[in-house]
Amino acid sequence: MKAVICTRYGGPEVLKIADVRKPIPKDGELLVRVMASAVNTADTRTRGLDVAGPMKLAMRLVLGWKSPRQPILGTVFAGTVEEANTDKFRKGDRVYGCTSGVSYGCHGEFVAVKADGVVAPMPENASFEEAASLLFGGTTALSFLDKVNPEAGQKLLVYGASGAVGTAAVQIGSALGLKVTGAASGANEELVRGLGVCDFIDYRNDDYTKKGISYDIIFDAVGKTSKSKAKLALKPGGSFITVGGASVAKESKSQLDQIRAWFEQGKLKSVIDRVYSLESTAEAHAYVDQGHKKGNVVLKIQS
């Protein structure tokens, strides 16, 4: 099968197209024909070994010293079941899901995943590209919001509301009945307002801590604001959550089921900035590296 492999740590140029052996599913696993995936920050940080100081050593020990032990990156997939060594799915089922930990493996034509893992039927009315774009941001936003047990009517500020996690957090917050304010670059105001926010802050020209508004929850969806600063705009007992700390998102099948339900109900929509072919994966990485994508960058693996 064709796949994109990471030959060593470095810039997008280290990514190469290669013919590799197709995975063989074990008992209890599915072989999924991957139709679409996405390039997200988990992929670009792994490729570039993009972590601070001593964390680079830890990352090498976990992922591989000179290059990733799993050279095929990609943590999300949408496609069809090619083989099912389980009674939970059948050949031809349209599924979407995530590979956890250091498994990766989604930037190729096939991936083997556990049937009882983070995989579920796709939303019925979604394209493969739309389904793939829902996963990284949607599961991350849900995972972090679940940590603070939000209640309907509370005020939520999403800092970095135009990225993959931010666009999902804005919509999920609204679906949960929260009063959502989105903070992003003014160039993305139309996009963020279109996702259903109650208010918008251009964080390049306006300081959210000086608006005279207090929030129940501040969600830093890009890792670019601090807890000490957020406290200035939090209500007493309010919660600050960030993708930039030590806490990590934990994906689950129940999250996929909830995302599917919201998409089918029209409460959550796919936000896709650009679509690239598998052969153009290095270009997709270069674009994500710029840090200005709106929503998701999707890979169309097969037609």
Side-chain angles (χ1 to χ4, degrees):
M1 72 171 190
K2 285 186 179 180
V4 174
I5 62 171
C6 182
T7 59
R8 65 185 188 278
Y9 297 117
E13 70 278 0
V14 306
L15 301 171
K16 307 295 181 185
I17 289 282
D19 288 317
V20 300
R21 183 175 297 178
K22 184 167 71 173
I24 299 174
K26 302 174 184 176
D27 288 344
E29 289 189 340
L30 309 174
L31 180 67
V32 177
R33 178 183 292 272
V34 182
M35 305 303 291
S37 185
V39 174
N40 55 53
T41 53
D43 301 311
T44 58
R45 285 175 181 167
T46 297
R47 183 214 75 226
L49 205 66
D50 185 17
V51 291
M55 286 299 296
K56 287 186 183 293
L57 173 59
M59 196 168 178
R60 286 182 189 273
L61 291 173
V62 172
L63 298 178
W65 191 254
K66 293 184 178 180
S67 64
R69 293 187 189 92
Q70 164 54 289
I72 304 172
L73 303 181
T75 60
V76 300
F77 63 88
T80 58
V81 175
E82 185 78 2
E83 296 180 37
N85 291 340
T86 173
D87 57 4
K88 295 182 178 180
F89 294 91
R90 294 182 297 177
K91 182 176 180 178
D93 285 349
R94 287 160 43 99
V95 296
Y96 73 151
C98 309
T99 54
S100 58
V102 295
S103 300
Y104 297 98
C106 298
H107 291 171
E109 293 178 322
F110 295 90
V111 66
V113 297
K114 293 181 179 179
D116 60 358
V118 188
V119 56
M122 276 174 45
E124 297 232 350
N125 50 341
S127 68
F128 291 114
E129 291 80 12
E130 287 174 325
S133 76
L134 294 170
L135 290 161
F136 176 74
T139 57
T140 302
L142 261 176
S143 183
F144 276 93
L145 285 169
D146 281 347
K147 296 176 188 293
V148 297
N149 299 313
E151 298 179 3
Q154 288 185 324
K155 290 183 179 180
L156 165 68
L157 171 67
V158 178
Y159 191 87
S162 60
V165 178
T167 53
V170 164
Q171 296 180 84
I172 290 170
S174 297
L176 293 172
L178 306 179
K179 298 176 181 178
V180 184
T181 295
S185 165
N188 297 320
E189 180 172 358
E190 183 178 356
L191 166 65
V192 175
R193 286 193 182 278
L195 298 176
V197 296
C198 300
D199 197 10
F200 176 84
I201 297 173
D202 179 352
Y203 61 22
R204 289 187 175 178
N205 299 310
D206 214 350
D207 187 336
Y208 70 90
T209 68
K210 297 179 180 178
K211 301 284 288 183
I213 302 173
S214 296
Y215 301 94
D216 298 282
I217 306 165
I218 294 179
F219 185 1
D220 174 15
V222 286
K224 292 185 178 179
T225 192
S226 65
K227 185 175 184 179
S228 58
K229 182 173 181 177
K231 283 182 177 179
L232 300 175
L234 278 173
K235 293 180 179 179
S239 300
F240 172 69
I241 45 179
T242 178
V243 299
S247 183
V248 296
K250 185 171 177 58
E251 303 89 357
S252 68
K253 182 182 180 300
S254 63
Q255 292 170 352
L256 302 192
D257 293 337
Q258 181 63 79
I259 288 169
R260 180 177 66 249
W262 278 331
F263 186 89
E264 292 176 348
Q265 294 162 10
K267 295 180 179 180
L268 179 63
K269 65 182 181 181
S270 167
V271 181
I272 299 175
D273 187 340
R274 298 186 181 186
V275 178
Y276 292 85
S277 66
L278 182 66
E279 290 76 11
S280 299
T281 300
E283 292 177 37
H285 272 246
Y287 181 63
V288 174
D289 279 349
Q290 295 175 19
H292 302 303
K293 69 181 178 69
K294 304 173 184 68
N296 297 268
V297 169
V298 169
L299 292 182
K300 188 171 185 177
I301 307 291
Q302 303 182 70
S303 299

